[in-house]
Amino acid sequence: MIFSITFVTIGLLATVFICKAINGSFEIKSMDLADKEKKLNEELQDLRKNRKELSQRLENLKTLLKAGIQSEAESKPAEDPTDLKGWLLQKQILTEAQYLSAEIYGIEKNIDIIGALLTLNMISIEVYEEVKKLKLI
């Protein structure tokens, strides 16, 4: 009887120590994962800041490029455009990209370009009436 009680007590103590060892290793792994998560969040914040800085630089470069293109366009002799696209670009109502996106939208929706420009609110009614007066459509 004493032998069995001693055996059960030793088994109980061994079980407790094993459980504590297992729990301790899980706590260490949990702390390591929390540290890794903290580092990843810091890196993510740094990447977001870098992305914002790079997008700002890209926008600045685009405006500089656009200004360079506009200065080249200004150096060309002024001609009265005979088509809608040329007139809108000359009056700087639209950019080339806006005109092309409206053109693609018009093709997709099976409407003419002026209808697409009006639908997308890229031009106002006043501009539409001026285009109509000049008979560019």
Side-chain angles (χ1 to χ4, degrees):
M1 171 107 175
I2 293 176
F3 179 70
S4 63
I5 291 175
T6 308
F7 186 66
V8 169
T9 306
I10 292 172
L12 179 65
L13 290 174
T15 305
V16 169
F17 287 127
I18 291 172
C19 288
K20 283 187 178 184
I22 291 171
N23 190 24
S25 67
F26 280 131
E27 287 178 5
I28 291 171
K29 288 180 182 179
S30 175
M31 289 171 42
D32 287 343
L33 285 175
D35 289 340
K36 286 181 182 178
E37 183 180 6
K38 190 181 289 183
K39 287 179 185 177
L40 285 175
N41 284 335
E42 290 172 0
E43 288 179 12
L44 181 63
Q45 292 297 327
D46 290 340
L47 288 174
R48 284 181 181 160
K49 288 178 185 176
N50 288 341
R51 192 177 111 226
K52 284 182 181 179
E53 290 173 5
L54 289 175
S55 66
Q56 184 65 33
R57 287 179 56 198
L58 179 63
E59 289 298 320
N60 290 340
L61 288 174
K62 283 182 180 178
T63 55
L64 290 175
L65 180 64
K66 191 183 290 186
I69 290 172
Q70 288 176 353
S71 65
E72 289 176 9
E74 290 171 2
S75 65
K76 293 180 183 176
E79 300 175 5
D80 283 339
T82 57
D83 63 336
L84 177 64
K85 179 180 177 181
W87 185 80
L88 289 171
L89 294 176
Q90 182 185 14
K91 295 288 186 179
Q92 296 180 348
I93 296 171
L94 294 177
T95 63
E96 182 89 24
Q98 288 175 323
Y99 185 85
L100 289 175
S101 63
E103 197 171 37
I104 291 169
Y105 179 80
I107 291 170
E108 288 174 356
K109 300 296 180 180
N110 199 22
I111 55 177
D112 60 343
I113 186 66
I114 196 74
L117 290 168
L118 284 168
T119 304
L120 295 172
N121 290 330
M122 291 184 172
I123 61 170
S124 64
I125 299 297
E126 291 82 19
V127 173
Y128 169 74
E129 290 172 353
E130 192 172 344
V131 167
K132 203 171 179 184
K133 272 192 236 175
L134 296 172
K135 297 180 181 175
L136 295 175
I137 53 174

